[in-house]
């Protein structure tokens, strides 16, 4: 049975070119992950604040190197794409930003991010998210980007608001964390917002 609409983004929209490096224009760069980032990612995941809001732990640098290998390969699979967020001047790792759960045919993806403890409070997550959203919506042609965070994570809610992701509602008991089920806010941006 044929579809009545055409895909928003065709297969190969991303994978036909190398993953880009995206400068924010204000001192940050979103770049593909490198194996040598493993110690900094491992250190970031030792932070209790980061661990509180995530469902994954990093037990060793070797485990993180495996993640990075997955992140490097993900571009070609066009389902999840990860960028390191680094200081443009010295390449110091400050965080991560990603498009997850991408469905190219529908033009939809989920934005995710984290920052290192030392980068917190400096607008890193908002600057990286704003750059990623602009690229995904305006340059690539995604129709909708979603962003979810635990309702109790007020810092993530501020990032969503600062970057133009409108609050659409609350998903009750939507994600299991180490401390139990979290209600999640659902925010979104659509092309043209």
């Amino acid at each position: 049975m044929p579809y009545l609409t055409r895909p928003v983004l065709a297969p190969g929209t991303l994978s036909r070119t190398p993953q880009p490096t995206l400068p924010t224009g204000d001192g940050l760069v979103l770049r593909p992950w490198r194996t040598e980032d493993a110690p900094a990612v491992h250190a970031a995941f030792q932070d209790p604040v980061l661990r509180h809001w995530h469902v994954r732990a990093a037990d060793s640098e070797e485990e993180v190197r495996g993640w990075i290998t997955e992140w490097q390969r993900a571009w070609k699979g066009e389902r999840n794409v990860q960028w390191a967020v680094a200081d443009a001047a010295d390449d110091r790792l400050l965080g991560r930003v990603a498009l997850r759960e991408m469905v190219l045919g529908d033009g939809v993806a989920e934005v995710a991010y984290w920052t290192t403890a030392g980068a917190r409070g400096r607008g890193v997550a908002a600057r990286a998210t704003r750059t990623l959203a602009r690229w995904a919506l305006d340059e690539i042609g995604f129709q909708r980007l979603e962003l979810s965070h635990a309702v109790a994570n007020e810092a993530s809610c501020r990032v969503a608001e600062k970057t133009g992701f409108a609050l659409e509602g609350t998903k009750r008991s939507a994600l299991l964390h180490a401390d139990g089920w979290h209600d999640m806010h659902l925010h979104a941006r659509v092309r043209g917002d």
Side-chain angles (χ1 to χ4, degrees):
M1 179 178 338
Y3 287 96
L4 297 174
T5 60
R6 298 177 65 182
V8 176
L9 297 168
T13 296
L14 300 178
S15 64
R16 69 175 166 245
T17 61
Q19 182 178 354
T21 296
L22 307 171
T24 64
D26 60 5
L28 302 178
V29 64
L30 283 53
R31 62 162 172 78
W33 287 95
R34 300 190 290 248
T35 304
E36 56 267 25
D37 293 321
V41 174
H42 181 259
F45 271 80
Q46 305 319 299
D47 172 33
V49 173
L50 189 143
R51 280 198 322 261
H52 179 75
W53 301 117
H54 285 79
V55 297
R56 201 170 189 186
D59 292 331
S60 68
E61 287 182 21
E62 177 147 344
E63 178 183 14
V64 171
R65 278 191 288 280
W67 296 358
I68 291 172
T69 298
E70 291 173 20
W71 296 343
Q72 291 168 330
R73 292 180 183 151
W75 179 259
K76 290 197 183 292
E78 298 185 315
R79 294 274 304 142
N80 297 291
V81 182
Q82 313 270 342
W83 280 265
V85 179
D87 185 293
D90 63 12
D91 200 42
R92 183 171 31 98
L93 182 69
L94 301 174
R96 163 262 200 180
V97 68
L99 292 176
R100 304 185 313 180
E101 308 301 327
M102 292 189 302
V103 181
L104 293 181
D106 293 339
V108 175
E110 178 186 11
V111 173
Y113 49 80
W114 53 257
T115 58
T116 63
R120 239 175 253 130
R122 296 175 32 206
V124 169
R127 290 153 53 202
T129 298
R130 189 176 298 110
T131 297
L132 181 60
R134 187 178 316 118
W135 174 82
L137 294 167
D138 300 340
E139 292 183 37
I140 299 303
F142 279 88
Q143 175 60 29
R144 177 180 170 87
L145 299 178
E146 296 182 348
L147 189 160
S148 293
H149 64 81
V151 170
N153 189 340
E154 294 176 4
S156 267
C157 202
R158 284 191 302 274
V159 169
E161 291 168 349
K162 286 179 183 177
T163 57
F165 283 77
L167 179 62
E168 293 188 338
T170 301
K171 300 188 299 183
R172 297 177 301 129
S173 294
L175 191 59
L176 182 60
H177 284 250
D179 63 349
W181 287 98
H182 285 221
D183 290 350
M184 303 292 287
H185 272 165
L186 174 63
H187 297 259
R189 271 184 69 171
V190 297
R191 194 172 348 158
D193 277 355

